[in-house]
Amino acid sequence: MAAVNVLEAKGLTKIYGGLEANVDIDFQLPEGEITALIGPNGAGKSTLVGMVVGRILPTRGSVSFEGADISHLPAHQRMQLGMAYTFQITSIFPGLSVYDNVALAAGQKLAGDKGAHDQKTRQVLDRIGLADRHDQTAGDLSYGHQRVLEIAMGLAQDPKVFILDEPTQGLSETEVDAFIALIKSLAGETTILLIEHNMRVVTETADHITVLDQGRVLASGTPEEIRSNAAVQAAYLGTTTDA
């Protein structure tokens, strides 16, 4: 039985003056699966994600979430529906403890229930491996641990769609290995959109891959289909394994 698409974009287009950042993008996120969005720098990945999460107004096209058109909704209302988004640049609260960062995120869902709030916060910290650092000031964490904390803040919101923008950027190989294991463990619990340059991460985690090139969809398919696609090899994969 085919997976239901929890999110669909149809004909998404963004034109800045005469510059076509994205043109007629059709895009789906099957429920409970991991979809990777890849492409060379300047391919239009960030613009597309901005339109999906409501931070960029499309020139034309639509976005639907669980079958309802959300094209008119601003970013904060899309978050309330169940979308969580981590940025390329960490957006933690550096002066607060690790625990308080996650507790703030969990509070958006569990306000008013202190017991459930504390339990949820500790469950998330334990799951992502930061329980032993719960009282540490977030700004004192290594860069890799700050990235993991940001993921924890997203998970604390129990997102229906979790969008991770370059989550392994700046991580060591050991930290990348831990990230891959974490993302694999989330399969089936939430729907993930992964924007990533590290092709090892993509091929080891993604169920589906969409490739953008010059603002357009070049190809979509399984990792095997994308790897064997001649157009993708010429435009992207053939240049480097970590473009």
Side-chain angles (χ1 to χ4, degrees):
M1 183 173 164
V4 175
N5 292 326
V6 66
L7 184 144
E8 293 189 22
K10 294 184 178 178
L12 276 185
T13 299
K14 183 62 181 179
I15 301 173
Y16 295 99
L19 175 64
E20 296 179 331
N22 286 132
V23 180
D24 295 329
I25 303 289
D26 292 335
F27 186 69
Q28 303 84 34
L29 295 181
E31 187 174 16
E33 298 186 3
I34 301 171
T35 299
L37 181 66
I38 68 173
N41 289 329
K45 301 186 297 294
S46 294
T47 301
L48 174 58
V49 173
M51 290 189 286
V52 167
V53 301
R55 296 176 63 233
I56 296 175
L57 184 67
T59 303
R60 63 176 182 269
S62 65
V63 179
S64 62
F65 187 80
E66 295 188 314
D69 190 334
I70 62 168
S71 305
H72 62 292
L73 295 182
H76 71 276
Q77 291 186 10
R78 298 188 196 197
M79 289 179 64
Q80 291 168 0
L81 289 176
M83 296 176 68
Y85 177 53
T86 70
F87 296 88
Q88 272 183 277
I89 302 171
T90 52
S91 55
I92 62 171
F93 298 98
L96 299 180
S97 70
V98 169
Y99 177 94
D100 286 342
N101 269 266
V102 178
L104 274 173
Q108 298 178 36
K109 287 279 187 178
L110 297 170
D113 188 338
K114 284 190 175 181
H117 187 193
D118 178 69
Q119 182 180 27
K120 179 65 177 180
T121 300
R122 294 186 184 281
Q123 283 177 344
V124 171
L125 286 171
D126 185 59
R127 177 158 197 184
I128 54 99
L130 287 179
D132 60 341
R133 299 174 183 269
H134 70 278
D135 58 351
Q136 188 171 346
T137 302
D140 292 339
L141 294 173
S142 68
Y143 180 78
H145 282 125
Q146 288 185 24
R147 298 294 287 178
V148 171
L149 175 58
E150 191 180 27
I151 293 171
M153 292 167 68
L155 290 178
Q157 301 169 46
D158 288 326
K160 296 176 182 177
V161 170
F162 195 10
I163 300 174
L164 299 162
D165 194 353
E166 302 286 1
T168 67
Q169 183 176 344
L171 300 191
S172 68
E173 281 300 306
T174 300
E175 290 168 336
V176 169
D177 291 339
F179 171 81
I180 289 172
L182 174 63
I183 293 305
K184 284 182 174 180
S185 77
L186 296 175
E189 292 184 27
T190 185
T191 302
I192 295 175
L193 174 59
L194 181 65
I195 302 94
E196 183 58 71
H197 276 90
N198 187 321
M199 288 306 300
R200 181 169 74 89
V201 174
V202 170
T203 56
E204 291 187 23
T205 61
D207 300 296
H208 311 278
I209 300 174
T210 293
V211 185
L212 291 189
D213 187 43
Q214 298 181 14
R216 292 168 167 80
V217 174
L218 179 64
S220 290
T222 65
E224 294 75 19
E225 290 169 340
I226 295 302
R227 195 179 296 115
S228 62
N229 186 299
V232 174
Q233 291 174 358
Y236 184 43
L237 296 179
T239 58
T240 173
T241 57
D242 188 17

